[in-house]
Amino acid sequence: MELFSFISIYLLVFLFKMSTALDTITPSQSMSDGKTLISQDGSFELGFFSAGISKNRYLGIWYKNIPVRTIVWVANRSSPINDSSGLLMIEISGNLLVLSGNKTVVWSSESSKEAQSPILQLLDSGNLVLRDEKESDPGIYLWQSFDYPSDTLLPGMKLGVNLKTGLDRRLTSWKSWDDPSPGDLFWKIQIHNNPESTMWKGSRIFFRTGPWNGITFSGTPQLKPNPIFYFNFVHNEDEVYYTFGLKKKSIISRLVMNQTNNRRDRYTWDEAAQSWSLYTYLPIDYCDTYGLCGAYGNCIISESPVCQCLEGFKPKLPEKWNSGNWSQGCVRNKPLNCQSGDGFIKFRGLKLPDTTYSWVSESMNIKDCRVKCLQNCSCTAYTNLDIRSGGSGCALWFNNLVDIRENPYGGQDLYVRVSASELDVKDETGNKIVIIIIAAIAVASGILIVSYCFCKSRRKFTENHRQNDENNENQNQEMELPIFDIATIAKATDDFSMKNKLGEGGFGPVYKGTLVDGQEIAVKRLSKSSGQGLNEFRNEVILFSKLQHRNLVKLLGCCIQGEERMLIYEYMPNKSLDFFIFGMGPSKPNQTRGELLDWSKRFNIICGIARGLLYLHQDSRLRVIHRDLKASNVLIDNEMNPKISDFGMARTFGGDQTEGSTNKVVGTYGYMAPEYATDGLFSVKSDVFSFGILMLEIISGKRSKGFYHPNQSRSLIGHAWSFWKEGKLSELIDPFIGESCNISEVSRCVHISLLCVQQHPVDRPSMASIVLMLNSENTFPQPKQPGFVKDKGLDMADSSSSKLGSSSVTVNEITFSLLEAR
Ligand SMILES: *[C@@H]1O[C@H](CO)[C@@H](O)[C@H](O)[C@H]1NC(C)=O
Ligand SMILES: *[C@@H]1O[C@H](CO)[C@@H](O)[C@H](O)[C@H]1NC(C)=O
Ligand SMILES: *[C@@H]1O[C@H](CO)[C@@H](O)[C@H](O)[C@H]1NC(C)=O
Ligand SMILES: *[C@@H]1O[C@H](CO)[C@@H](O)[C@H](O)[C@H]1NC(C)=O
Ligand SMILES: *[C@@H]1O[C@H](CO)[C@@H](O)[C@H](O)[C@H]1NC(C)=O
Ligand SMILES: CC(=O)N[C@H]1CO[C@H](CO)[C@@H](O)[C@@H]1O
């Protein structure tokens, strides 16, 4: 009955909308050529169109209110329909299709997410989105056209890469004004350690903007705060992209890659003239040509010739250079001498060189940056990563420096490595020139003026000299961290005696010690294999000693002696969490393990670990990914509060730390997220995965043996998932929890941990949401079946749960709400 009235209302609405414009499309409708879909505010329109004199039909989006037909997006760019028989439809599964008259699929959105009730809408932003009407969050899309740009970047679109999914959104020109198929001109974000935005013609890069410096790109002087639009470049571990937004709703502005003039143009709509007006374009001039002046050449547009070697460098092939072929670039006047010492010449106002071979650190300051560059003989230049508020961070270059130009309106300082002897020469020749000038003036103007000038110029070149050396000062700054000398530590630990050995961690043995004043400490003696420099070690230790949180073990100081490195922590008398949960709890005769770790204590431990991890992930100074969270790395204090230990160890001692991937996977199977274990990709979300496992261990009292375990149905995740689906949580719960069990909290924790162990990092919640979820009664998204349970897991090995494999999601919901209601 209800269904019937629903359908009739639906039909009425449908009949009413029989005119040519729709505002949504669902699987029961389709849109034929001639009809259009209009955004709610009427600014954009989706429909079939032809370009120029061509008769070919394409599905596309254009501005509805602009008399000059301006297409901003095309679906089937390279497969047109040759007549007006085109049809847009949604499959029940939520896939978008464009069909031609003979029912050939000419385009498919290939959206793979299952939808119960898919609906297609054109948003006011010009984004064509496919949503699930059953999805309560209207911001979640099954598919969106903004992810597949054509030649136009609209406000709110992202140009760049989703590092988690690999989705690469680039802008590609039309072949010609009447052919939307992809031309050979495109604009993309290049993913280096220091990413930049680059424009390509075919396989050749023709322009780079230079890296982002916190305010703009060092090679785009015209991109600066303005009344029309704001812009941003985002680079975090999830994504790297450029985007812009409009300051007023009345403004219309777009960026477009144009094959005709080989440029990226920004147009704004001129309402009075009823036409588009060109606002800016890139590249701007000859000097923007990629690599025009070769290695170590500097392009200066006001000079003739435009290419000049950087100071300290000379043309590699002078004849060619002088005839105007600069492609071979410049070479050093004097070779570097890494061992005996090099220096740097500071250049101001440059577009920074190509960052293909680069390295960055957000936390390092310019002094440490200089040291870091000096330490590596292949480092050729350094500068601040971010120029806001006086400059911060560190960017290094490791190759010949190419594509430098002078950018007097917004360039950046660059410190280029040269031989130390080059710096001396610079001052000598400076002296000579000054002296010659002085002599000339002396002849003309007499002794008095001479001595005046001499003094003045003396000061000038001592100033120059000082500039070269300014970074040498303060190098031996006081350390802000207590350094323990080896004698103190040896005494405290009884010469590292066996009886004081607490255990052997991944990075070396740990000893208990007692200082003279009675304070108890834990000493981690690092194995010598890390190969890390002394400065790096100090810097890391100083950084980590600043991380203070009640759920983190406190780093008290360090001890450095020759090759020997030690970390001194506060001592935790109660050992680690695994002792408590896996049956080895301290033997106090009158207490059972269940009493020691009843549910409320376990829940308190879960919440504490979550808060500690949240602090590590979100502390603004340095974002720490633990990479080896596990029960034995959680220490328990006297009040049974958890304290995370060994944070930052992986970052400090486990190899390359700035990149989101590593060849050397540190961590523990059983806790490791699939993308980390197999591809070495780590992120805050791989910690979330480990946290999910840890929660399951705390709840079940069972160890996770890892998803690679041959019998996957016996994996902890497999167990948890099947009990969760069957609603038999009581079978998952550690019997020692017994009477103390609070079923709604347990159920919430299992729910959250299943979300944490989702196959895809994007599906896992952040620590911030986890902390919220732990303390909220609200319902959260249903977990999907964890990926590695699916294939070889449950269905094959465990026939009782394979029956449940096909049961629908609603079963979970019911189970869950029943549990909640108790
Ligand atoms: C169907 O139409 C498309 C587009 O108009 C065309 O490319 C294709 O060759 C046609 N297929 C057949 C079997 O006629
Ligand atoms: C479109 O292409 C198909 C297959 O190539 C052809 O059969 C049909 O006649 C064409 N239609 C028009 C209008 O040219
Ligand atoms: C590309 O540039 C040409 C010449 O400047 C211009 O006529 C044309 O409209 C531009 N195309 C686009 C898509 O903006
Ligand atoms: C410049 O010289 C290189 C080889 O050194 C050559 O390949 C290139 O074609 C030359 N460019 C011009 C414009 O002559
Ligand atoms: C110098 O840096 C390069 C690039 O990051 C790296 O491959 C090389 O191992 C480093 N060399 C030393 C001695 O650290
Ligand atoms: C740009 C684009 O999506 N082009 C698609 C047009 O449709 C054909 C057939 O589905 C695809 O192969 C193209 O990638």
Side-chain angles (χ1 to χ4, degrees):
M1 186 58 201
E2 237 175 60
L3 185 66
F4 180 73
S5 56
F6 176 73
I7 290 175
S8 41
I9 289 172
Y10 202 93
L11 271 177
L12 269 178
V13 171
F14 184 67
L15 288 175
F16 189 69
K17 292 262 169 72
M18 274 299 273
S19 56
T20 57
L22 312 167
D23 58 8
T24 60
I25 300 178
T26 60
S28 57
Q29 296 160 288
S30 55
M31 188 182 83
S32 54
D33 197 337
K35 291 212 174 125
T36 59
L37 180 68
I38 294 180
S39 67
Q40 209 162 36
D41 70 353
S43 51
F44 287 95
E45 188 166 20
L46 169 87
F48 288 89
F49 71 96
S50 295
I53 54 165
S54 162
K55 293 265 187 311
N56 283 335
R57 303 290 285 171
Y58 301 88
L59 179 73
I61 298 173
W62 54 85
Y63 292 98
K64 180 158 180 7
N65 297 329
I66 289 181
V68 185
R69 170 65 67 90
T70 310
I71 308 289
V72 296
W73 182 76
V74 186
N76 53 327
R77 292 180 75 168
S78 36
S79 29
I81 298 167
N82 66 356
D83 54 21
S84 61
S85 62
L87 200 65
L88 167 67
M89 58 171 287
I90 311 178
E91 288 182 298
I92 295 292
S93 66
N95 194 24
L96 281 181
L97 293 179
V98 174
L99 304 177
S100 74
N102 61 17
K103 297 292 173 257
T104 312
V105 174
V106 299
W107 178 79
S108 150
S109 68
E110 276 155 23
S111 24
S112 54
K113 290 189 191 143
E114 282 283 320
Q116 292 184 47
S117 173
I119 175 173
L120 186 70
Q121 278 176 319
L122 183 58
L123 303 184
D124 296 345
S125 57
N127 193 5
L128 181 67
V129 301
L130 188 62
R131 294 199 297 113
D132 191 341
E133 256 200 317
K134 294 266 157 59
E135 167 66 58
S136 51
D137 182 349
I140 291 182
Y141 308 133
L142 301 161
W143 177 91
Q144 55 176 326
S145 64
F146 272 19
D147 278 345
Y148 304 91
S150 297
D151 66 341
T152 303
L153 194 72
L154 292 174
M157 273 171 93
K158 295 173 175 178
L159 180 101
V161 182
N162 182 322
L163 299 172
K164 292 293 144 81
T165 60
L167 179 73
D168 183 3
R169 308 178 203 85
R170 32 171 106 173
L171 244 51
T172 311
S173 63
W174 287 23
K175 226 172 217 145
S176 65
W177 64 283
D178 62 354
D179 181 2
S181 62
D184 67 352
L185 203 70
F186 60 95
W187 174 30
K188 63 176 285 197
I189 302 294
Q190 199 75 28
I191 303 299
H192 306 313
N193 285 342
N194 196 2
E196 26 180 7
S197 110
T198 52
M199 290 176 204
W200 297 69
K201 193 164 172 62
S203 57
R204 209 166 43 79
I205 177 171
F206 70 93
F207 173 74
R208 4 180 324 273
T209 58
W212 181 256
N213 59 24
I215 299 173
T216 183
F217 302 101
S218 66
T220 54
Q222 78 289 51
L223 185 66
K224 53 184 171 193
N226 64 74
I228 309 277
F229 63 95
Y230 52 84
F231 53 92
N232 199 6
F233 185 76
V234 173
H235 178 199
N236 56 37
E237 57 212 8
D238 297 329
E239 30 185 10
V240 182
Y241 63 86
Y242 168 79
T243 189
F244 75 95
L246 298 174
K247 291 196 170 162
K248 293 200 198 91
K249 218 177 172 304
S250 56
I251 298 170
I252 297 175
S253 175
R254 68 190 160 101
L255 284 170
V256 61
M257 287 305 283
N258 189 332
Q259 183 83 30
T260 316
N261 52 24
N262 285 328
R263 285 195 325 217
R264 191 207 71 191
D265 293 330
R266 178 182 283 281
Y267 289 100
T268 54
W269 179 249
D270 184 342
E271 189 60 39
Q274 289 288 292
S275 68
W276 289 105
S277 67
L278 185 62
Y279 187 78
T280 51
Y281 54 86
L282 281 173
I284 306 172
D285 57 26
Y286 193 31
C287 274
D288 271 348
T289 313
Y290 177 80
L292 181 68
C293 301
Y296 302 105
N298 182 11
C299 196
I300 308 174
I301 198 70
S302 57
E303 287 290 325
S304 179
V306 289
C307 286
Q308 307 277 324
C309 287
L310 289 174
E311 194 181 339
F313 296 81
K314 57 176 192 255
K316 183 172 181 194
L317 306 172
E319 233 165 76
K320 270 203 138 164
W321 182 272
N322 292 333
S323 69
N325 184 335
W326 306 294
S327 61
Q328 296 302 305
C330 310
V331 292
R332 300 178 184 283
N333 291 332
K334 306 217 162 167
L336 292 178
N337 189 338
C338 190
Q339 309 312 328
S340 70
D342 294 324
F344 294 92
I345 297 182
K346 176 178 182 175
F347 295 92
R348 292 178 193 280
L350 295 187
K351 166 177 172 176
L352 297 180
D354 188 317
T355 59
T356 306
Y357 302 98
S358 56
W359 181 92
V360 297
S361 157
E362 275 173 47
S363 53
M364 215 174 247
N365 65 26
I366 193 81
K367 278 182 203 132
D368 297 334
C369 189
R370 181 181 201 270
V371 172
K372 175 103 186 158
C373 187
L374 277 178
Q375 277 169 353
N376 186 324
C377 294
S378 42
C379 176
T380 49
Y382 74 92
T383 192
N384 272 137
L385 186 59
D386 192 322
I387 61 170
R388 285 172 296 182
S389 56
S392 64
C394 174
L396 302 183
W397 279 260
F398 291 104
N399 55 335
N400 287 338
L401 305 176
V402 291
D403 200 37
I404 301 173
R405 71 168 294 175
E406 222 159 65
N407 173 5
Y409 308 106
Q412 221 174 309
D413 296 345
L414 182 69
Y415 300 86
V416 176
R417 184 182 206 135
V418 291
S419 158
S421 55
E422 186 68 51
L423 296 173
D424 303 341
V425 172
K426 187 184 155 198
D427 288 339
E428 273 166 29
T429 51
N431 268 330
K432 273 187 210 135
I433 292 165
V434 170
I435 289 167
I436 292 164
I437 293 169
I438 286 164
I441 296 170
V443 172
S445 324
I447 307 290
L448 235 164
I449 300 166
V450 172
S451 51
Y452 170 73
C453 288
F454 191 77
C455 292
K456 206 171 168 189
S457 40
R458 250 328 264 244
R459 190 161 70 233
K460 199 165 157 201
F461 52 68
T462 41
E463 256 168 27
N464 264 340
H465 195 84
R466 193 176 313 134
Q467 200 172 56
N468 288 325
D469 276 353
E470 70 191 349
N471 294 304
N472 274 329
E473 294 160 21
N474 297 331
Q475 227 177 263
N476 295 323
Q477 259 180 337
E478 274 301 294
M479 293 216 14
E480 301 161 56
L481 178 77
I483 298 194
F484 294 82
D485 67 40
I486 187 94
T488 314
I489 299 301
K491 190 167 176 208
T493 58
D494 217 354
D495 261 335
F496 303 101
S497 75
M498 279 310 284
K499 75 168 167 44
N500 279 335
K501 189 164 165 180
L502 293 171
E504 181 92 35
F507 299 96
V510 186
Y511 298 87
K512 184 189 170 182
T514 312
L515 296 176
V516 188
D517 63 4
Q519 188 185 3
E520 291 185 314
I521 54 172
V523 178
K524 188 176 281 268
R525 199 172 187 181
L526 300 171
S527 32
K528 288 169 192 159
S529 57
S530 80
Q532 198 193 26
L534 186 62
N535 276 330
E536 282 171 74
F537 176 74
R538 284 190 190 182
N539 288 338
E540 294 285 346
V541 172
I542 289 175
L543 284 175
F544 287 121
S545 70
K546 285 184 181 144
L547 291 177
Q548 296 204 1
H549 187 272
R550 55 184 303 234
N551 296 113
L552 299 183
V553 173
K554 194 164 178 243
L555 181 62
L556 299 173
C558 66
C559 172
I560 304 170
Q561 184 86 27
E563 288 282 278
E564 188 88 66
R565 313 270 151 88
M566 280 171 262
L567 295 172
I568 320 298
Y569 291 99
E570 64 177 327
Y571 175 70
M572 288 291 128
N574 255 348
K575 302 216 167 173
S576 50
L577 181 58
D578 55 343
F579 271 81
F580 289 89
I581 52 179
F582 304 131
M584 289 172 283
S587 45
K588 287 184 188 167
N590 51 355
Q591 255 184 329
T592 68
R593 207 161 61 81
E595 282 168 37
L596 266 176
L597 261 197
D598 64 9
W599 174 252
S600 71
K601 290 204 180 90
R602 290 183 202 229
F603 188 66
N604 178 49
I605 287 171
I606 289 174
C607 293
I609 300 170
R611 281 190 299 264
L613 212 47
L614 173 63
Y615 176 80
L616 286 177
H617 286 180
Q618 291 211 330
D619 178 77
S620 59
R621 273 181 60 86
L622 58 160
R623 251 185 148 187
V624 178
I625 301 173
H626 191 297
R627 286 168 69 183
D628 195 13
L629 185 69
K630 56 181 171 186
S632 59
N633 273 341
V634 175
L635 305 182
I636 303 292
D637 74 4
N638 279 328
E639 274 93 51
M640 298 302 282
N641 290 312
K643 292 189 181 241
I644 302 174
S645 76
D646 270 7
F647 51 89
M649 293 296 283
R651 171 184 148 117
T652 316
F653 311 107
D656 53 346
Q657 53 287 81
T658 47
E659 290 161 25
S661 80
T662 176
N663 297 329
K664 185 174 167 188
V665 171
V666 297
T668 309
Y669 281 102
Y671 290 90
M672 246 189 257
E675 74 279 4
Y676 183 36
T678 57
D679 301 328
L681 292 172
F682 63 86
S683 66
V684 289
K685 292 295 180 67
S686 39
D687 274 357
V688 166
F689 186 95
S690 311
F691 176 72
I693 299 286
L694 189 51
M695 267 172 97
L696 289 177
E697 289 183 336
I698 295 173
I699 295 163
S700 67
K702 295 195 178 62
R703 258 183 220 278
S704 165
K705 296 197 192 73
F707 56 87
Y708 65 97
H709 197 266
N711 190 351
Q712 293 199 4
S713 63
R714 294 285 152 249
S715 82
L716 188 51
I717 298 178
H719 266 304
W721 174 252
S722 61
F723 289 138
W724 165 258
K725 287 211 313 182
E726 292 168 57
K728 294 187 196 156
L729 277 187
S730 55
E731 298 189 24
L732 181 68
I733 298 170
D734 187 348
F736 281 105
I737 292 178
E739 292 293 292
S740 67
C741 178
N742 171 336
I743 192 72
S744 103
E745 266 174 14
V746 172
S747 150
R748 193 156 70 232
C749 287
V750 174
H751 188 160
I752 296 169
S753 51
L754 287 171
L755 290 173
C756 292
V757 298
Q758 293 289 298
Q759 167 91 2
H760 296 291
V762 278
D763 294 330
R764 300 176 204 148
S766 66
M767 283 318 296
S769 357
I770 291 169
V771 169
L772 281 178
M773 287 178 189
L774 281 170
N775 298 299
S776 106
E777 298 289 328
N778 294 340
T779 49
F780 353 109
Q782 287 299 316
K784 287 181 248 173
Q785 177 165 351
F788 30 84
V789 174
K790 187 161 29 188
D791 306 319
K792 297 164 231 141
L794 291 174
D795 297 6
M796 242 174 58
D798 196 336
S799 59
S800 71
S801 39
S802 75
K803 266 183 270 142
L804 282 140
S806 57
S807 66
S808 72
V809 184
T810 42
V811 172
N812 286 335
E813 278 166 1
I814 292 164
T815 323
F816 183 62
S817 46
L818 278 179
L819 282 168
E820 282 271 289
R822 274 195 224 170

